[in-house]
Amino acid sequence: MRWTVRGLRLVGAVTAGAVTALLGVVFVLAAAPFADRPAVRAAAARMTGLELRRLRLDLPGRDADGELRYLAARVPVGLLGGLVVLLLVIGASVAVRLLWSWSRGEALDGMLPTPPLLAYAFLSGVVLLFLNLSGLVGVDVLERRLAVRLLVPDPTEALRRRIAELTESRAGVVAVVDAERRRIERDLHDGVQQRLVALSMLAGRARRGRPELLEQLHEQARQALVELREVAWRVYPSGLDAHGLAEALAGVAERAAVTVRVTCELPVRPPVPVETAAYFVASEAVTNAAKHSRATLVAIEVRQEGTMVVVRVRDDGIGGADATGGGLTGLARRVAALDGRFTVTSPPGGPTVVEAELPCA
């Protein structure tokens, strides 16, 4: 049964490849003069994506410059597959006609089912079926190799790109750490330090015979502790290690100035760097929504999709977020350092959606 399903799936894939080869001829001829236009490149990317889905191939980071060339190169292979399928259909129809006629005791093309003729027909049919199935498998293998050859970057070029990406991400991480250090210093200097100075002055005045200031002194001390705790959470949330991402995000929701709804569905805890990046993406997005977007509701969703942890933060604010701003750029660099993807969608009028995909494998 399993082999039958695989065989039917193979015939279907090769047949579909023949049809898309015909469409590919039309597309390549029409698009070749305008190959550099973004719309043509986008259409080539979509058609290439459909071909890879038909072949059940996953080629992350494929070479976008080679997609139109691939579509052109696979046309003869696709048409060859169509020819093989056509021969299979013709052979099957001849076999059915023979069986139908001989089962009724009738001659086909003047031939009656004598033992030598039956043996000849059986052996010929088995050999032709074997050759035909080999042709189907060969076309499928050829299509896969062609896709890998033309869409996967050259190993040397891929290595060069990887080195460039690592160099850029290393510089990004250094910039993020430096920005975080400056922000912490600013928070300590302008917030906690000023609060402690005021607290010291109040204590001095209370000691000089102003007991009515004790209540104000207590309130100042409480505010200093709150600000100190917030600075510590911005450095690294202690609850993340102890209770996991869901509890840490629940803490973000409790401290937020807007209503925050958290959905965290992870079957297992991700690695610590992934968990930390996911936390900071959600926390920073909520802070931005509360400060700049005039949002009333923020929804945080954290899910496992394949080998990726996807963090999606959506608010109902006015939109218009600048993806090149300091905070979002820092998040993009933090995600890029883990080989993840970071996108911000924020049209005027909203909503704003911040999404990070973090690889776990």
Side-chain angles (χ1 to χ4, degrees):
M1 184 64 182
R2 186 174 60 182
W3 288 101
T4 303
V5 172
R6 287 186 178 181
L8 292 175
R9 186 177 296 168
L10 177 62
V11 172
V14 174
T15 304
V19 175
T20 57
L22 294 173
L23 298 175
V25 172
V26 177
F27 175 76
V28 170
L29 291 177
F34 315 101
D36 293 334
R37 295 190 178 183
V40 172
R41 294 169 69 90
R46 284 195 293 272
M47 292 188 68
T48 302
L50 291 176
E51 294 295 338
L52 295 180
R53 186 177 301 175
R54 178 179 61 82
L55 296 172
R56 299 187 302 281
L57 269 178
D58 185 18
L59 300 178
R62 66 176 188 252
D63 186 5
D65 295 334
E67 289 173 340
L68 192 59
R69 186 172 66 243
Y70 161 72
L71 292 175
R74 69 159 302 272
V75 167
V77 183
L79 295 179
L80 176 63
L83 181 60
V84 174
V85 172
L86 179 63
L87 291 176
L88 178 64
V89 172
I90 293 174
S93 65
V94 170
V96 169
R97 286 178 57 201
L98 279 174
L99 290 175
W100 175 257
S101 299
W102 289 348
S103 65
R104 295 164 59 93
E106 298 174 355
L108 180 65
D109 294 336
M111 296 181 295
L112 289 172
T114 61
L117 186 57
L118 285 173
Y120 171 77
F122 176 75
L123 291 176
S124 301
V126 169
V127 171
L128 290 175
L129 180 61
F130 173 76
L131 293 176
N132 203 277
L133 294 179
S134 299
L136 286 174
V137 174
V139 168
D140 186 65
V141 171
L142 187 58
E143 283 224 66
R144 290 170 177 272
R145 290 187 177 180
L146 187 66
V148 173
R149 177 67 181 84
L150 295 180
L151 295 177
V152 175
D154 179 73
T156 304
E157 179 62 24
L159 183 61
R160 189 177 296 115
R161 291 183 184 179
R162 184 60 180 157
I163 292 173
E165 290 174 358
L166 290 175
T167 303
E168 183 179 354
S169 63
R170 184 186 62 180
V173 169
V174 172
V176 168
V177 171
D178 192 51
E180 286 293 322
R181 181 182 59 79
R182 288 199 301 269
R183 188 170 72 166
I184 293 168
E185 289 176 349
R186 186 171 59 251
D187 289 345
L188 289 174
H189 181 270
D190 297 341
V192 178
Q193 182 175 327
Q194 298 301 321
R195 183 76 64 183
L196 290 176
V197 170
L199 184 64
S200 174
M201 294 175 64
L202 273 176
R205 293 166 62 188
R207 288 184 58 190
R208 291 193 294 270
R210 300 284 303 277
E212 71 274 12
L213 295 178
L214 288 176
E215 183 176 353
Q216 189 177 353
L217 180 65
H218 177 265
E219 178 63 21
Q220 288 285 345
R222 192 185 65 80
Q223 289 293 334
L225 284 175
V226 170
E227 292 182 6
L228 189 58
R229 189 179 300 118
E230 289 180 352
V231 171
W233 270 80
R234 282 197 291 271
V235 175
Y236 186 82
S238 58
L240 193 58
D241 281 339
H243 307 293
L245 184 58
E247 290 297 325
L249 293 179
V252 172
E254 290 178 1
R255 295 190 303 275
V258 297
T259 303
V260 178
R261 188 173 57 217
V262 179
T263 304
C264 185
E265 298 177 351
L266 297 175
V268 294
R269 286 192 67 168
V272 172
V274 173
E275 204 172 45
T276 305
Y279 170 82
F280 279 108
V281 167
S283 177
E284 185 71 22
V286 170
T287 302
N288 288 342
K291 284 184 177 178
H292 308 298
S293 74
R294 286 184 268 169
T296 58
L297 176 64
V298 180
I300 302 175
E301 293 183 10
V302 184
R303 302 183 190 281
Q304 180 92 32
E305 295 184 3
T307 59
M308 311 287 279
V309 169
V310 178
V311 182
R312 187 175 296 112
V313 183
R314 175 189 176 98
D315 68 55
D316 61 352
I318 59 174
D322 182 9
T324 62
L328 293 176
T329 302
L331 291 180
R333 287 172 174 167
R334 186 187 288 271
V335 173
L338 298 174
D339 287 338
R341 291 189 289 270
F342 182 81
T343 57
V344 177
T345 305
S346 183
T352 296
V353 180
V354 178
E355 184 172 294
E357 299 179 32
L358 302 162
C360 292

